[in-house]
Amino acid sequence: MKYSLFPLIAYSVLINISSLTGIKAFRAQEEANQKDEPSFTIPEHLEGYNSNRYIIKGNAQDLETLVEKEGGIIHDVIGKGQFSVVEFENHNTAEKFRFSISSHDGIGLVDQDTPVYSFGSQVQEDRNSIRNLRSLQESTPWGINKIFEDENGRPNIPSKGYLPDVTHNICIIDSGYELDHPDLPNDASAADPYQRRSSNDDDYFGTDNCGHGSHIAGTILASDNNIGVIGVFPGAPAFIVKVFHSFSCSWTYRSGLSKAVEQCVKKGAKIISMSLGGPFNSNSEKKMFDQIYEDDGVLLIAASGNNGDSSFNYPASYESVISVAAIDSKHRIASFSQYNSQVDISAPGMNIRSTVRNTYKSYSGTSMATPHVSGVALLLWNKYPKCTNKEIRAAIEAGVDDLGPRGRDDYFGHGLLKYWKAAKYLDGRPCGAGESPTAVSPTPPSPSPPSYKNNFRLKLRTDNYGHETTWFIKNSNKDIVLQGGPYDDNRSYTERGSLPVGSYIFRIKDDDGICCDYGDGMYDMYVNGVKIHSGGSFEKKEIVEFDVKHDKYSMSTKDDDISKMNDDDITPTSPLPSTLPPTSKPSCDKFELNIRTDNYGDEVSWFLKDLDKGPVTSGGEYDSNSEYTVTECLTRGSYKLIIKDKIGDGICCQHGSGSLSQKRQDIQDRS
């Protein structure tokens, strides 16, 4: 989620394409500050949540006077000193502070400090007290058996002699760790020094009020001791950070998660397991996770979420994080498991039995799937200690059983986690021998060039009957390559996917359209960052045919009278020309915009506006360190081009060598 609370850097260019009229006065620049996404609304169950809490770009020393002047406090400093967490008692004082920092260089509002949640639910409880725990015969949970299956489908659990010494440690961020549980190793330690104090302190790492964190830990490292259960890497040590403190494991601030991740890294952890998340994207958090993945060489793993739809949860949906979906024992995707273009891998997540306080319970959730991946990463990296985090990630994503559509898909990711396949992958590609291997599925489709990753975007708002809305995209072979729906009512979604060069058909279906009889639904389609179509008012179906040609596109729309057409009857037409014939448009001049993004391309957006007729075209949220060229035929008139960067640091030169240039016919302007 991107918020409307922080300032933008807006690069504005006035373009005059008229020899007959002069440059017209600029209209108010309100559009440069508009956002198309709602700000955060506090759920009623978040007791104690303060919406007047923000993450500010700038160090605490520079901010202290400004914050105190408006009656606020600085809670913490995160992101290696780049960001400060500030809080105010009410909206009015927060607004005054936001206004006061607008005139200070080097200080800017980045994010609202939104909540994150645990992703698990209890489905079964084994009611055994600590008194008779030791008489329980040890059993292997089905998920452990599943991920250790050999090539013949038989469980092959590693023997104690196979387990390596631990040189690459794991850190578990959750609700704590039941240090006294007889099936959990007693050498776990706190990554946060403040959580090592008395066991009577709520912050003490070695207790777990809600049991979620201990359940996660048990799947990763429960001891092989003839009682209870066994983990992926039995007896392995772990660092713990407690971020959920209540008995309900309700929520924590996103800044608290960022701080916890920093504590893990500072302690020396190389794997961080996070069975938690929330629907709100954080620019500061994304930058920090990217730096930790790229610069510190840490492997980040998180749950995809339990909404059962195609929405995104964070941190799982950041590129630097492995996003984990959940399956049941019959290899079916769990009904609650979120599916989207950022899902990397699937693992057992239904009825998973593990350690909880003084007993054992079975939980379901993507929270339960995540520690299977974390445990495999822990065992694999310590068996192959010369590997980098990227090489371990590549092995995990390549060493899978391909489920669902051939190759990677939005439900299962690359496929079902398999330890022995991942190990075999590394046996054939020794680490430290050169460039990191690239993860491929066992039966891969033709790979898309990296530049096409997530080059398609669909922004959709449903009407009062979201469950009626579905869509898909088919390629020229009639294969469905992307799809979505049904959805919840009156909600906004952003779907992303990767489309190589080729011809495609987009079809959206709803019995009576999504606008306007039963709500204000609508959708926008983007290819390579450029909006190619908007719709919502149609009957039964609407079809859009378009081509992807490197950084360009072409399309046509069929406003439907095809209610009797079967899906298999939809056949792409011949490739459409990249521009319409000259006779279909009045005389015009060619305008070209060239953009090279920096390390944070998703922060960049732009729009071109005719000062008489309104918006002409727009684009944004690009891949990082990528080049884009957009062409448009402009009739005579006056135009305004606005380039924006969400964080306010431009696209050059602090975080890369981004640049832009725009030209018309033989006139070129570089910036």
Side-chain angles (χ1 to χ4, degrees):
M1 182 70 179
K2 300 172 180 61
Y3 299 95
S4 58
L5 301 176
F6 47 83
L8 304 169
I9 277 185
Y11 172 78
S12 172
V13 179
L14 188 71
I15 306 164
N16 191 328
I17 306 184
S18 175
S19 59
L20 303 175
T21 60
I23 296 177
K24 301 182 179 179
F26 280 175
R27 294 182 180 176
Q29 198 174 327
E30 70 278 1
E31 284 144 297
N33 297 317
Q34 286 178 351
K35 304 291 187 301
D36 56 3
E37 296 170 303
S39 58
F40 174 66
T41 301
I42 308 170
E44 292 182 357
H45 68 276
L46 291 186
E47 182 179 355
Y49 177 78
N50 185 353
S51 62
N52 301 302
R53 179 166 163 146
Y54 306 109
I55 300 172
I56 307 296
K57 181 182 180 182
N59 64 56
Q61 186 176 357
D62 293 339
L63 284 168
E64 187 173 4
T65 302
L66 292 172
V67 173
E68 289 180 352
K69 181 180 177 181
E70 302 301 339
I73 58 173
I74 297 177
H75 269 282
D76 214 332
V77 178
I78 58 176
K80 298 181 179 179
Q82 298 178 73
F83 306 102
S84 296
V85 182
V86 303
E87 183 172 320
F88 300 89
E89 290 185 0
N90 57 64
H91 180 70
N92 290 335
T93 56
E95 285 293 306
K96 290 180 181 179
F97 170 76
R98 287 163 53 186
F99 178 78
S100 69
I101 65 174
S102 61
S103 59
H104 288 264
D105 294 336
I107 297 177
L109 189 60
V110 179
D111 293 308
Q112 189 176 9
D113 198 1
T114 55
V116 293
Y117 315 87
S118 58
F119 289 143
S121 60
Q122 180 181 338
V123 295
Q124 179 182 336
E125 179 175 355
D126 298 320
R127 302 182 181 278
N128 296 290
S129 67
I130 190 69
R131 186 177 53 202
N132 60 15
L133 252 177
R134 296 186 181 276
S135 65
L136 294 176
Q137 182 177 358
E138 183 177 80
S139 62
T140 303
W142 76 267
I144 303 297
N145 281 326
K146 180 61 63 177
I147 64 173
F148 280 117
E149 285 179 344
D150 60 21
E151 293 180 352
N152 298 314
R154 293 190 294 265
N156 182 13
I157 308 298
S159 65
K160 292 183 179 180
Y162 178 87
L163 302 178
D165 293 333
V166 175
T167 57
H168 293 72
N169 290 94
I170 192 168
C171 189
I172 303 169
I173 301 175
D174 213 283
S175 61
Y177 182 93
E178 198 65 39
L179 201 57
D180 292 335
H181 198 292
D183 217 0
L184 291 176
N186 60 9
D187 57 353
S189 60
D192 184 344
Y194 290 101
Q195 295 185 359
R196 301 173 192 165
R197 295 174 292 187
S198 168
S199 59
N200 295 322
D201 195 318
D202 287 341
D203 288 335
Y204 180 60
F205 84 97
T207 58
D208 184 1
N209 289 330
C210 76
H212 190 269
S214 296
H215 195 282
I216 301 306
T219 297
I220 297 172
L221 45 82
S223 302
D224 186 1
N225 56 1
N226 297 320
I227 64 167
V229 295
I230 186 173
V232 179
F233 191 159
F239 300 131
I240 308 295
V241 183
K242 179 186 284 190
V243 294
F244 301 123
H245 301 276
S246 69
F247 283 89
S248 62
C249 260
S250 178
W251 66 280
T252 190
Y253 282 107
R254 191 165 291 278
S255 62
L257 172 59
S258 295
K259 188 70 173 181
V261 170
E262 286 190 303
Q263 295 285 6
C264 291
V265 175
K266 187 175 181 180
K267 190 68 175 177
K270 301 301 290 184
I271 302 162
I272 300 178
S273 185
M274 299 167 284
S275 290
L276 46 76
F280 304 105
N281 184 0
S282 165
N283 292 283
S284 59
E285 184 180 71
K286 178 183 182 299
K287 283 194 173 185
M288 190 189 77
F289 276 56
D290 289 348
Q291 290 171 355
I292 288 171
Y293 180 69
E294 294 290 342
D295 300 339
D296 297 313
V298 175
L299 194 61
L300 303 160
I301 304 167
S304 68
N306 290 352
N307 287 343
D309 58 25
S310 59
S311 60
F312 293 84
N313 267 309
Y314 302 91
S317 292
Y318 298 133
E319 291 286 344
S320 56
V321 180
I322 297 178
S323 177
V324 184
I327 66 158
D328 65 15
S329 59
K330 296 183 179 179
H331 293 185
R332 299 173 300 196
I333 197 72
S335 60
F336 51 76
S337 187
Q338 280 173 242
Y339 48 91
N340 53 57
S341 60
Q342 294 301 315
V343 170
D344 293 290
I345 200 163
S346 50
M350 286 286 291
N351 299 334
I352 303 300
R353 187 170 183 258
S354 188
T355 51
V356 178
R357 294 192 291 275
N358 294 330
T359 184
Y360 300 86
K361 293 180 182 178
S362 292
Y363 284 178
S364 292
T366 52
S367 275
M368 285 63 250
T370 300
H372 288 88
V373 180
S374 302
V376 164
L378 178 65
L379 180 56
L380 194 67
W381 206 347
N382 284 288
K383 285 296 289 186
Y384 300 85
K386 293 183 179 180
C387 293
T388 66
N389 59 334
K390 293 181 181 180
E391 288 172 320
I392 294 298
R393 179 173 183 169
I396 288 173
E397 292 177 354
V400 296
D401 280 353
D402 191 10
L403 304 178
R406 185 183 179 191
R408 192 216 157 268
D409 64 82
D410 287 354
Y411 288 83
F412 298 97
H414 291 278
L416 172 59
L417 176 74
K418 294 290 180 178
Y419 174 80
W420 296 114
K421 283 189 175 183
K424 184 177 180 180
Y425 179 92
L426 290 178
D427 287 338
R429 297 166 178 81
C431 293
E435 186 176 349
S436 298
T438 301
V440 292
S441 299
T443 54
S446 300
S448 300
S451 60
Y452 299 123
K453 186 167 185 180
N454 293 330
N455 62 343
F456 174 81
R457 180 160 52 103
L458 175 69
K459 300 186 76 171
L460 171 71
R461 177 168 179 79
T462 60
D463 62 4
N464 301 342
Y465 299 93
H467 62 278
E468 298 178 356
T469 305
T470 59
W471 64 273
F472 65 70
I473 292 178
K474 285 188 175 183
N475 61 18
S476 57
N477 294 324
K478 295 186 179 181
D479 296 325
I480 293 179
V481 293
L482 296 173
Q483 61 184 332
Y487 298 98
D488 292 337
D489 304 337
N490 299 306
R491 285 192 60 181
S492 295
Y493 297 87
T494 299
E495 307 272 26
R496 290 179 171 86
S498 303
L499 298 178
V501 169
S503 298
Y504 297 93
I505 287 183
F506 169 86
R507 191 215 70 178
I508 186 168
K509 182 179 179 182
D510 189 289
D511 289 344
D512 45 21
I514 59 177
C515 177
C516 302
D517 293 336
Y518 301 102
D520 58 349
M522 53 82 67
Y523 70 91
D524 295 324
M525 292 171 56
Y526 297 78
V527 174
N528 292 323
V530 179
K531 185 189 294 185
I532 66 168
H533 181 67
S534 297
S537 180
F538 57 87
E539 293 183 7
K540 302 289 186 183
K541 305 173 186 174
E542 183 169 74
I543 288 180
V544 179
E545 301 176 358
F546 64 96
D547 291 345
V548 175
K549 295 183 177 180
H550 299 288
D551 59 350
K552 296 181 175 61
Y553 67 89
S554 61
M555 53 80 66
S556 68
T557 306
K558 293 185 178 180
D559 290 321
D560 211 66
D561 182 311
I562 56 170
S563 58
K564 297 180 180 179
M565 183 181 291
N566 296 321
D567 292 344
D568 291 337
D569 295 331
I570 300 175
T571 304
T573 59
S574 300
L576 300 170
S578 59
T579 57
L580 294 175
T583 56
S584 65
K585 287 187 176 181
S587 177
C588 60
D589 288 343
K590 180 181 177 181
F591 168 76
E592 182 176 292
L593 177 66
N594 297 285
I595 300 176
R596 177 171 178 79
T597 59
D598 62 2
N599 299 341
Y600 301 96
D602 59 333
E603 297 172 359
V604 180
S605 63
W606 62 272
F607 72 84
L608 180 65
K609 174 183 176 183
D610 185 322
L611 292 182
D612 287 324
K613 300 177 182 178
V616 176
T617 186
S618 62
E621 296 187 29
Y622 296 104
D623 289 338
S624 301
N625 299 307
S626 301
E627 294 183 0
Y628 297 87
T629 298
V630 181
T631 58
E632 191 72 28
C633 186
L634 303 181
T635 57
R636 289 184 173 183
S638 294
Y639 294 80
K640 189 176 184 180
L641 172 66
I642 295 178
I643 310 283
K644 302 183 290 187
D645 183 90
K646 293 277 190 182
I647 290 295
D649 52 12
I651 59 175
C652 177
C653 301
Q654 185 177 357
H655 300 291
S657 57
S659 63
L660 66 95
S661 66
Q662 55 91 17
K663 62 183 179 180
R664 173 180 64 87
Q665 303 282 59
D666 298 327
I667 303 173
Q668 184 164 357
D669 171 50
R670 294 190 178 275
S671 304

